[in-house]
mmCIF file of all heavy atoms in Angstrom:
data_model
loop_
_atom_site.group_PDB
_atom_site.id
_atom_site.type_symbol
_atom_site.label_atom_id
_atom_site.label_comp_id
_atom_site.label_asym_id
_atom_site.label_seq_id
_atom_site.Cartn_x
_atom_site.Cartn_y
_atom_site.Cartn_z
ATOM 1 N N THR A 180 138.371 -62.881 -21.427
ATOM 2 C CA THR A 180 138.073 -61.534 -20.947
ATOM 3 C C THR A 180 137.026 -61.595 -19.840
ATOM 4 O O THR A 180 135.994 -62.221 -19.986
ATOM 5 C CB THR A 180 137.513 -60.671 -22.092
ATOM 6 O OG1 THR A 180 138.244 -60.938 -23.261
ATOM 7 C CG2 THR A 180 137.610 -59.216 -21.749
ATOM 8 N N ALA A 185 132.491 -52.517 -11.604
ATOM 9 C CA ALA A 185 133.180 -51.431 -10.913
ATOM 10 C C ALA A 185 132.808 -51.468 -9.439
ATOM 11 O O ALA A 185 131.641 -51.634 -9.083
ATOM 12 C CB ALA A 185 132.796 -50.093 -11.527
ATOM 13 N N PRO A 190 137.000 -45.654 2.005
ATOM 14 C CA PRO A 190 137.934 -46.140 3.014
ATOM 15 C C PRO A 190 137.610 -45.714 4.434
ATOM 16 O O PRO A 190 137.985 -46.377 5.382
ATOM 17 C CB PRO A 190 139.277 -45.558 2.573
ATOM 18 C CG PRO A 190 138.922 -44.391 1.740
ATOM 19 C CD PRO A 190 137.602 -44.698 1.101
ATOM 20 N N SER A 195 131.773 -47.293 15.502
ATOM 21 C CA SER A 195 131.812 -47.119 16.944
ATOM 22 C C SER A 195 132.772 -48.136 17.561
ATOM 23 O O SER A 195 132.964 -49.231 17.040
ATOM 24 C CB SER A 195 130.409 -47.321 17.511
ATOM 25 O OG SER A 195 130.447 -47.324 18.905
ATOM 26 N N ARG A 201 127.638 -51.033 18.140
ATOM 27 C CA ARG A 201 127.746 -51.562 16.779
ATOM 28 C C ARG A 201 126.608 -52.529 16.472
ATOM 29 O O ARG A 201 126.004 -52.467 15.403
ATOM 30 C CB ARG A 201 129.096 -52.240 16.566
ATOM 31 C CG ARG A 201 130.198 -51.257 16.257
ATOM 32 C CD ARG A 201 131.397 -51.925 15.607
ATOM 33 N NE ARG A 201 131.836 -53.123 16.278
ATOM 34 C CZ ARG A 201 132.772 -53.177 17.231
ATOM 35 N NH1 ARG A 201 133.361 -52.077 17.628
ATOM 36 N NH2 ARG A 201 133.115 -54.326 17.771
ATOM 37 N N VAL A 205 123.802 -52.214 13.603
ATOM 38 C CA VAL A 205 123.589 -53.276 12.605
ATOM 39 C C VAL A 205 122.117 -53.658 12.580
ATOM 40 O O VAL A 205 121.503 -53.771 11.516
ATOM 41 C CB VAL A 205 124.482 -54.505 12.888
ATOM 42 C CG1 VAL A 205 124.020 -55.708 12.080
ATOM 43 C CG2 VAL A 205 125.924 -54.210 12.570
ATOM 44 N N LEU A 207 119.483 -51.888 13.667
ATOM 45 C CA LEU A 207 118.689 -50.783 13.134
ATOM 46 C C LEU A 207 118.862 -50.672 11.614
ATOM 47 O O LEU A 207 117.903 -50.380 10.896
ATOM 48 C CB LEU A 207 119.085 -49.470 13.804
ATOM 49 C CG LEU A 207 118.588 -49.263 15.219
ATOM 50 C CD1 LEU A 207 119.203 -48.002 15.826
ATOM 51 C CD2 LEU A 207 117.073 -49.185 15.248
ATOM 52 N N ILE A 217 109.957 -52.707 1.966
ATOM 53 C CA ILE A 217 108.490 -52.666 2.070
ATOM 54 C C ILE A 217 107.960 -51.404 1.403
ATOM 55 O O ILE A 217 106.916 -51.422 0.752
ATOM 56 C CB ILE A 217 108.052 -52.751 3.548
ATOM 57 C CG1 ILE A 217 108.365 -54.143 4.104
ATOM 58 C CG2 ILE A 217 106.565 -52.441 3.699
ATOM 59 C CD1 ILE A 217 108.191 -54.264 5.604
ATOM 60 N N PRO A 225 107.630 -44.405 2.258
ATOM 61 C CA PRO A 225 108.791 -43.997 1.459
ATOM 62 C C PRO A 225 109.908 -45.043 1.497
ATOM 63 O O PRO A 225 110.041 -45.796 2.456
ATOM 64 C CB PRO A 225 109.245 -42.710 2.132
ATOM 65 C CG PRO A 225 108.821 -42.877 3.557
ATOM 66 C CD PRO A 225 107.534 -43.664 3.513
ATOM 67 N N LEU A 231 118.600 -44.658 3.216
ATOM 68 C CA LEU A 231 119.655 -43.762 3.690
ATOM 69 C C LEU A 231 119.929 -43.963 5.183
ATOM 70 O O LEU A 231 121.078 -43.900 5.622
ATOM 71 C CB LEU A 231 119.292 -42.306 3.404
ATOM 72 C CG LEU A 231 119.273 -41.914 1.925
ATOM 73 C CD1 LEU A 231 118.797 -40.483 1.757
ATOM 74 C CD2 LEU A 231 120.632 -42.121 1.292
ATOM 75 N N ALA A 233 119.540 -46.810 6.742
ATOM 76 C CA ALA A 233 120.273 -48.080 6.804
ATOM 77 C C ALA A 233 121.749 -47.851 6.479
ATOM 78 O O ALA A 233 122.641 -48.372 7.161
ATOM 79 C CB ALA A 233 119.665 -49.101 5.841
ATOM 80 N N ALA A 234 122.022 -47.052 5.451
ATOM 81 C CA ALA A 234 123.414 -46.757 5.081
ATOM 82 C C ALA A 234 124.136 -46.049 6.213
ATOM 83 O O ALA A 234 125.292 -46.360 6.525
ATOM 84 C CB ALA A 234 123.454 -45.910 3.811
ATOM 85 N N GLY A 235 123.466 -45.096 6.851
ATOM 86 C CA GLY A 235 124.074 -44.377 7.973
ATOM 87 C C GLY A 235 124.365 -45.297 9.151
ATOM 88 O O GLY A 235 125.422 -45.195 9.782
ATOM 89 N N SER A 240 128.678 -49.151 11.862
ATOM 90 C CA SER A 240 128.739 -50.446 12.531
ATOM 91 C C SER A 240 129.393 -51.546 11.714
ATOM 92 O O SER A 240 130.116 -52.365 12.264
ATOM 93 C CB SER A 240 127.323 -50.897 12.911
ATOM 94 O OG SER A 240 126.533 -51.050 11.752
ATOM 95 N N HIS A 245 127.787 -51.910 4.797
ATOM 96 C CA HIS A 245 127.823 -50.583 4.189
ATOM 97 C C HIS A 245 128.359 -50.655 2.766
ATOM 98 O O HIS A 245 127.778 -50.068 1.845
ATOM 99 C CB HIS A 245 128.666 -49.637 5.040
ATOM 100 C CG HIS A 245 128.667 -48.239 4.535
ATOM 101 N ND1 HIS A 245 129.797 -47.633 4.058
ATOM 102 C CD2 HIS A 245 127.667 -47.329 4.407
ATOM 103 C CE1 HIS A 245 129.497 -46.409 3.658
ATOM 104 N NE2 HIS A 245 128.216 -46.206 3.874
ATOM 105 N N PHE A 246 129.454 -51.377 2.558
ATOM 106 C CA PHE A 246 130.016 -51.511 1.211
ATOM 107 C C PHE A 246 129.052 -52.259 0.300
ATOM 108 O O PHE A 246 128.950 -51.965 -0.885
ATOM 109 C CB PHE A 246 131.373 -52.206 1.254
ATOM 110 C CG PHE A 246 132.468 -51.351 1.839
ATOM 111 C CD1 PHE A 246 133.650 -51.928 2.246
ATOM 112 C CD2 PHE A 246 132.324 -49.989 1.994
ATOM 113 C CE1 PHE A 246 134.658 -51.161 2.799
ATOM 114 C CE2 PHE A 246 133.329 -49.202 2.535
ATOM 115 C CZ PHE A 246 134.499 -49.805 2.940
ATOM 116 N N TRP A 247 128.343 -53.242 0.855
ATOM 117 C CA TRP A 247 127.351 -53.965 0.060
ATOM 118 C C TRP A 247 126.267 -53.002 -0.420
ATOM 119 O O TRP A 247 125.868 -53.045 -1.580
ATOM 120 C CB TRP A 247 126.740 -55.099 0.890
ATOM 121 C CG TRP A 247 125.581 -55.760 0.217
ATOM 122 C CD1 TRP A 247 125.622 -56.641 -0.820
ATOM 123 C CD2 TRP A 247 124.195 -55.559 0.517
ATOM 124 N NE1 TRP A 247 124.350 -57.003 -1.180
ATOM 125 C CE2 TRP A 247 123.452 -56.353 -0.369
ATOM 126 C CE3 TRP A 247 123.520 -54.784 1.451
ATOM 127 C CZ2 TRP A 247 122.068 -56.399 -0.346
ATOM 128 C CZ3 TRP A 247 122.144 -54.834 1.478
ATOM 129 C CH2 TRP A 247 121.436 -55.633 0.593
ATOM 130 N N LEU A 248 125.813 -52.126 0.466
ATOM 131 C CA LEU A 248 124.732 -51.207 0.099
ATOM 132 C C LEU A 248 125.202 -50.144 -0.892
ATOM 133 O O LEU A 248 124.487 -49.840 -1.847
ATOM 134 C CB LEU A 248 124.145 -50.545 1.348
ATOM 135 C CG LEU A 248 122.896 -49.697 1.130
ATOM 136 C CD1 LEU A 248 121.774 -50.520 0.500
ATOM 137 C CD2 LEU A 248 122.432 -49.100 2.442
ATOM 138 N N ASN A 250 127.397 -50.431 -3.063
ATOM 139 C CA ASN A 250 127.666 -51.079 -4.345
ATOM 140 C C ASN A 250 126.447 -51.828 -4.871
ATOM 141 O O ASN A 250 126.554 -52.575 -5.839
ATOM 142 C CB ASN A 250 128.841 -52.046 -4.205
ATOM 143 C CG ASN A 250 130.135 -51.300 -4.039
ATOM 144 O OD1 ASN A 250 130.566 -50.609 -4.943
ATOM 145 N ND2 ASN A 250 130.717 -51.397 -2.870
ATOM 146 N N TYR A 253 120.713 -51.364 -7.362
ATOM 147 C CA TYR A 253 119.638 -50.382 -7.446
ATOM 148 C C TYR A 253 119.821 -49.195 -6.496
ATOM 149 O O TYR A 253 119.508 -48.071 -6.845
ATOM 150 C CB TYR A 253 118.286 -51.045 -7.157
ATOM 151 C CG TYR A 253 117.961 -52.138 -8.140
ATOM 152 C CD1 TYR A 253 117.971 -53.463 -7.761
ATOM 153 C CD2 TYR A 253 117.691 -51.834 -9.471
ATOM 154 C CE1 TYR A 253 117.701 -54.463 -8.668
ATOM 155 C CE2 TYR A 253 117.429 -52.821 -10.394
ATOM 156 C CZ TYR A 253 117.426 -54.149 -9.985
ATOM 157 O OH TYR A 253 117.173 -55.138 -10.885
ATOM 158 N N PHE A 254 120.309 -49.435 -5.299
ATOM 159 C CA PHE A 254 120.394 -48.381 -4.292
ATOM 160 C C PHE A 254 121.754 -47.702 -4.222
ATOM 161 O O PHE A 254 121.883 -46.629 -3.644
ATOM 162 C CB PHE A 254 120.074 -48.936 -2.899
ATOM 163 C CG PHE A 254 118.739 -49.602 -2.811
ATOM 164 C CD1 PHE A 254 118.632 -50.901 -2.353
ATOM 165 C CD2 PHE A 254 117.592 -48.932 -3.178
ATOM 166 C CE1 PHE A 254 117.410 -51.518 -2.264
ATOM 167 C CE2 PHE A 254 116.354 -49.541 -3.091
ATOM 168 C CZ PHE A 254 116.261 -50.841 -2.628
ATOM 169 N N ARG A 289 88.894 -35.351 2.881
ATOM 170 C CA ARG A 289 88.401 -36.469 3.676
ATOM 171 C C ARG A 289 88.195 -36.150 5.161
ATOM 172 O O ARG A 289 87.396 -36.820 5.803
ATOM 173 C CB ARG A 289 89.372 -37.651 3.562
ATOM 174 C CG ARG A 289 89.625 -38.112 2.142
ATOM 175 C CD ARG A 289 88.479 -38.817 1.561
ATOM 176 N NE ARG A 289 88.506 -40.200 2.024
ATOM 177 C CZ ARG A 289 87.537 -41.046 1.811
ATOM 178 N NH1 ARG A 289 86.478 -40.674 1.164
ATOM 179 N NH2 ARG A 289 87.618 -42.264 2.249
ATOM 180 N N VAL A 301 99.691 -30.828 8.286
ATOM 181 C CA VAL A 301 100.351 -31.710 7.316
ATOM 182 C C VAL A 301 100.801 -30.911 6.095
ATOM 183 O O VAL A 301 101.904 -31.118 5.566
ATOM 184 C CB VAL A 301 99.424 -32.884 6.921
ATOM 185 C CG1 VAL A 301 99.979 -33.657 5.740
ATOM 186 C CG2 VAL A 301 99.207 -33.809 8.113
ATOM 187 N N CYS A 305 104.623 -30.758 4.822
ATOM 188 C CA CYS A 305 104.945 -31.176 3.454
ATOM 189 C C CYS A 305 105.564 -30.029 2.656
ATOM 190 O O CYS A 305 106.481 -30.253 1.857
ATOM 191 C CB CYS A 305 103.699 -31.705 2.757
ATOM 192 S SG CYS A 305 103.179 -33.320 3.359
ATOM 193 N N SER A 306 105.091 -28.819 2.875
ATOM 194 C CA SER A 306 105.689 -27.656 2.191
ATOM 195 C C SER A 306 107.136 -27.466 2.631
ATOM 196 O O SER A 306 108.012 -27.197 1.808
ATOM 197 C CB SER A 306 104.891 -26.392 2.488
ATOM 198 O OG SER A 306 103.591 -26.511 2.004
ATOM 199 N N ALA A 309 109.243 -30.134 0.959
ATOM 200 C CA ALA A 309 109.445 -29.838 -0.464
ATOM 201 C C ALA A 309 110.478 -28.727 -0.653
ATOM 202 O O ALA A 309 111.347 -28.811 -1.524
ATOM 203 C CB ALA A 309 108.118 -29.450 -1.114
ATOM 204 N N ILE A 310 110.400 -27.680 0.171
ATOM 205 C CA ILE A 310 111.386 -26.592 0.085
ATOM 206 C C ILE A 310 112.782 -27.132 0.384
ATOM 207 O O ILE A 310 113.749 -26.823 -0.324
ATOM 208 C CB ILE A 310 111.004 -25.445 1.041
ATOM 209 C CG1 ILE A 310 109.761 -24.742 0.520
ATOM 210 C CG2 ILE A 310 112.156 -24.464 1.217
ATOM 211 C CD1 ILE A 310 109.125 -23.778 1.506
ATOM 212 N N ARG A 314 116.085 -27.414 -2.304
ATOM 213 C CA ARG A 314 117.303 -26.649 -2.003
ATOM 214 C C ARG A 314 118.546 -27.536 -2.088
ATOM 215 O O ARG A 314 119.669 -27.033 -2.146
ATOM 216 C CB ARG A 314 117.201 -26.028 -0.618
ATOM 217 C CG ARG A 314 116.151 -24.920 -0.598
ATOM 218 C CD ARG A 314 116.136 -24.173 0.671
ATOM 219 N NE ARG A 314 117.372 -23.400 0.739
ATOM 220 C CZ ARG A 314 117.797 -22.767 1.814
ATOM 221 N NH1 ARG A 314 117.091 -22.812 2.908
ATOM 222 N NH2 ARG A 314 118.912 -22.092 1.801
#
Side-chain angles (χ1 to χ4, degrees):
T180 319
S195 173
R201 279 199 312 268
V205 166
L207 285 173
I217 291 170
L231 292 176
S240 62
H245 184 245
F246 289 164
W247 172 76
L248 187 58
N250 289 295
Y253 299 109
F254 304 125
R289 303 288 278 172
V301 170
C305 287
S306 298
I310 290 168
R314 291 187 69 191

